[in-house]
């Protein structure tokens, strides 16, 4: 896996569908969702989390830097814009904080895909063909070029039209995001299974 990449983790959502709970702090398999994503990104040269500062587990990898989107709660594209101010690497993994089964394996596939000739961004795709827009690796300059002048309230999906996208197939577990109570229940069940998660 390339060593010259950064991880930008969006962790500022209000989690309205989870009753306003701090989604990034939910515990799945003895670790918070945010800690699990940061562990998957341990190989990054930079790790930037956009959202409220939280306590983190001591884990290997680059120190975590914190940013806040403007305005706070302005959505994932505003978070990406804020996080990019810290990024100096040619590749950046843009990740949601609620992907409990994302691993360095999927990130490696995305990094490989993003370095393909003519590719702007590589994105995970679940077995049903759904893109997980917040599990993607971008060429950093292409992501900066894709950002709108007013990022607050924009969807991450809106960054993709007109870009050269490489889809990377992944297992359903790796693409699971914990948006709703049923997603969290599914993650807890999967985490309790014996054997390595996500494989």
């Amino acid at each position: 896996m390339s060593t010259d990449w950064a991880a930008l983790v969006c962790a500022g959502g209000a989690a309205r569908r989870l009753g306003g709970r701090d989604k990034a702090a939910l515990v799945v398999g003895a670790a918070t969702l945010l800690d699990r994503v940061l562990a998957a990104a341990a190989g990054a040269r930079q790790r930037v989390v956009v959202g409220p500062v939280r306590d983190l587990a001591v884990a290997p990898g680059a120190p975590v830097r914190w940013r806040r989107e403007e305005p706070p709660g302005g959505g994932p594209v505003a978070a990406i814009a804020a996080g990019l101010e810290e990024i100096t690497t040619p590749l950046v993994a843009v990740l949601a904080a609620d992907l409990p089964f994302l691993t360095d394996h999927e990130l490696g596939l995305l990094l490989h895909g993003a370095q393909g000739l003519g590719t702007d961004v590589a994105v995970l795709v679940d077995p049903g063909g759904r893109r997980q827009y917040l599990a993607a690796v971008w060429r950093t300059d292409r992501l900066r070029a894709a950002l709108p002048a007013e990022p607050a309230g924009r969807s991450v999906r809106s960054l993709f039209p007109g870009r050269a996208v490489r889809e990377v197939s992944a297992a359903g577990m790796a693409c699971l995001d914990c948006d709703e109570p049923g997603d969290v229940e599914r993650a807890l069940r999967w985490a309790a299974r014996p054997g390595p998660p996500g494989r």
Side-chain angles (χ1 to χ4, degrees):
M1 187 184 299
S2 168
T3 58
D4 205 15
W5 63 285
L8 191 168
V9 183
C10 299
R16 292 179 184 87
R17 285 177 283 180
L18 290 174
R21 288 186 290 173
D22 183 2
K23 182 163 58 172
L26 293 176
V27 175
V28 171
T32 68
L33 295 181
L34 179 56
D35 278 322
R36 292 175 75 98
V37 171
L38 289 171
R45 183 156 65 83
Q46 296 176 283
R47 294 188 295 180
V48 178
V49 176
V50 184
V53 176
R54 302 168 174 93
D55 291 332
L56 298 174
V58 178
V64 172
R65 303 196 65 168
W66 297 88
R67 296 282 303 190
R68 282 310 307 264
E69 69 274 28
E70 184 58 44
V77 177
I80 291 167
L84 274 179
E85 294 180 8
E86 297 283 341
I87 303 301
T88 61
T89 56
L91 296 172
V92 56
V94 177
L95 308 171
D98 64 348
L99 296 165
F101 302 109
L102 183 77
T103 71
D104 60 349
H105 173 72
E106 289 81 29
L107 286 173
L109 294 175
L110 287 169
L111 285 162
H112 179 75
Q115 294 176 82
L117 187 64
T119 301
D120 295 331
V121 55
V123 61
L124 278 194
V125 177
D126 72 13
R130 182 180 71 100
R131 289 178 175 178
Q132 176 50 271
Y133 290 103
L134 282 172
V137 171
W138 285 80
R139 291 182 185 265
T140 305
D141 59 343
R142 311 292 169 81
L143 179 55
R144 286 196 172 99
L147 287 176
E150 298 294 335
R154 300 290 294 273
S155 71
V156 179
R157 182 195 304 263
S158 71
L159 303 179
F160 280 71
R163 310 296 158 187
V165 181
R166 177 163 299 192
E167 295 186 341
V168 175
S169 298
M173 286 183 77
C175 296
L176 174 70
D177 51 3
C178 292
D179 282 337
E180 300 180 349
D183 302 325
V184 177
E185 293 169 6
R186 187 176 304 113
L188 292 171
R189 288 197 306 271
W190 286 350
R193 292 176 180 173
R199 301 275 68 82

